[in-house]
Amino acid sequence: MMSSENRSDFSASCSSISEEARAKINLALHVTGQRPDGYHLLDMLVTFTDHGDRLDFMPSPTDEFTLSGRFGETLAGDGGTNLVLKARDLLREVIGPLAFPVRIQLEKNLPVASGIGGGSADAAATLRGLMRLWGTSLPEEALAALALKLGADVPMCLASRPLIARGIGEKIEPVPELPVLAMVLANPLKGVSTPEVFRQLATKNNPSLSLPPSRPLAADWLAAIAAARNDLEPPARELVPEIAVISAMLQAHGALLTRMSGSGATCFGIFATMAAAEDAAAALHDARPDWYFQATETVSGGA
C-alpha cells in the first residue's frame, strides 16, 4: 500500500478515469429451465445503449463513494449493499497492495431495479475503471469468474456489446452483426419484484432462442426480434399493469416494435430513426412527466 505522502503526490498527478455503465436491453429473454439450486436457465439476445450511468474514479487518501444524477437519491441509503462497493472490495482482494484508496463518483441516470441492468452495469464499469486506475489486469477467465460472483448479468455488462447469453448469463456469444437501433426506454417508475415475476411464471421450460443463421439487414433483425419474446413480460404485466399502458403508449407514438426488458418494468420501443425516437420521447414526457422516457441508440455490434 502507498504511504500517505506518495498517495498524495500520485493523486495530484493523476486525473480521474471515467467509465460508462450502459443500459442493458434484453431484446429477447426465453426462460428455458431451472437448475436444482434455483437459478433459472435463460436464452437472451442482449444489446446496450449509449445512455446509461457514469462512474468517475480518482486516487484519494481514503475510500470515498458519492452519488449524483436523477436517481442518485434512490441509492443514498444503500450502504455496503451497493454493487459498486462490492465490486471495488472484491477486486481489491484479488489485486492486493496495488489497490490504493479511491474516490468513486456514480452519476445514476438509470432507474433502479428496472430490468435494464443498472446495478450490474455499474459493477462492471467499476471493475473496468479500477483496473485502469490501479494499473493492473486479470486473465479473461479470472475476470469473468470474479464478475459472476457479483451477479449473473455482470459478465455480459463487462462486454457491453451485442451478444447472446445462455445458462444463467455466463455463456456469452458476441453478435457483431447486430445493427444500431434507435430506441425509447420507458418506465412508469413503479417497482416490480424479480423473484415474484419468476414465481408467477406459468412455464419454466419454454422453447429456446432461435435466430436465422444469416441476418445481414436491419429489417431482417427487426423481424427476428419480433419473432422472439420475453417470457417474463406476461407475469410482470399482471403485477404492474402500467407496463401494458406504457407499451401501448410507445406503439401509439410510432414504435415499430415494443417489448419489456428483463424482469421490468422498463419497456423499449424500436423506432425507424433517431429523430423519430427523440420526437416520441418528448411527446411521451409531455404526456407523463412523472414517468421515465429516454431516447437513445444502441451500440454497434462491430465496434
Side-chain angles (χ1 to χ4, degrees), residues 55-66:
L55 290 99
D56 295 301
F57 307 88
M58 179 177 284
S60 175
T62 59
D63 282 331
E64 298 180 59
F65 179 55
T66 60

Side-chain angles (χ1 to χ4, degrees), residues 141-188:
E141 288 186 4
L143 181 58
L146 188 151
L148 191 59
K149 288 183 180 180
L150 293 163
D153 285 352
V154 179
M156 65 186 86
C157 288
L158 270 176
S160 287
R161 292 293 173 193
L163 54 88
I164 292 172
R166 293 187 169 91
I168 63 170
E170 83 284 9
K171 299 174 183 177
I172 294 173
E173 172 191 344
V175 185
E177 67 269 30
L178 187 68
V180 172
L181 302 169
M183 186 175 285
V184 173
L185 306 181
N187 189 296

Side-chain angles (χ1 to χ4, degrees), residues 172-210:
I172 294 173
E173 172 191 344
V175 185
E177 67 269 30
L178 187 68
V180 172
L181 302 169
M183 186 175 285
V184 173
L185 306 181
N187 189 296
L189 299 183
K190 186 171 181 179
V192 54
S193 166
T194 298
E196 188 60 29
V197 169
F198 275 102
R199 275 194 292 270
Q200 296 290 332
L201 188 62
T203 305
K204 299 184 179 182
N205 293 285
N206 300 294
S208 61
L209 178 68
S210 178

Side-chain angles (χ1 to χ4, degrees), residues 114 118 191 207 224:
S114 58

Side-chain angles (χ1 to χ4, degrees), residues 14-33:
C14 181
S15 60
S16 65
I17 284 174
S18 298
E19 282 284 343
E20 300 297 323
R22 304 181 187 277
K24 177 183 72 68
I25 306 301
N26 291 101
L27 295 172
L29 189 158
H30 294 200
V31 181
T32 60

Side-chain angles (χ1 to χ4, degrees), residues 21-27 29 46-49 51-53 71 108-123 153-154 156-157 160 183-189 192 194 230 259-269 292-294 296:
R22 304 181 187 277
K24 177 183 72 68
I25 306 301
N26 291 101
L27 295 172
L29 189 158
V46 174
T47 191
F48 294 83
T49 70
H51 177 68
D53 297 337
F71 299 102
K108 192 67 185 169
N109 302 315
L110 298 174
V112 176
S114 58
I116 50 178
S120 296
D122 294 342
D153 285 352
V154 179
M156 65 186 86
C157 288
S160 287
M183 186 175 285
V184 173
L185 306 181
N187 189 296
L189 299 183
V192 54
T194 298
N230 182 346
R259 183 165 290 153
M260 189 184 79
S261 179
S263 59
T266 301
C267 296
F268 62 87
Y292 168 85
F293 298 100
Q294 177 66 49
T296 184

Side-chain angles (χ1 to χ4, degrees), residues 119-135:
S120 296
D122 294 342
T126 299
L127 295 177
R128 293 193 304 265
L130 288 180
M131 284 192 296
R132 291 170 57 202
L133 187 70
W134 289 337

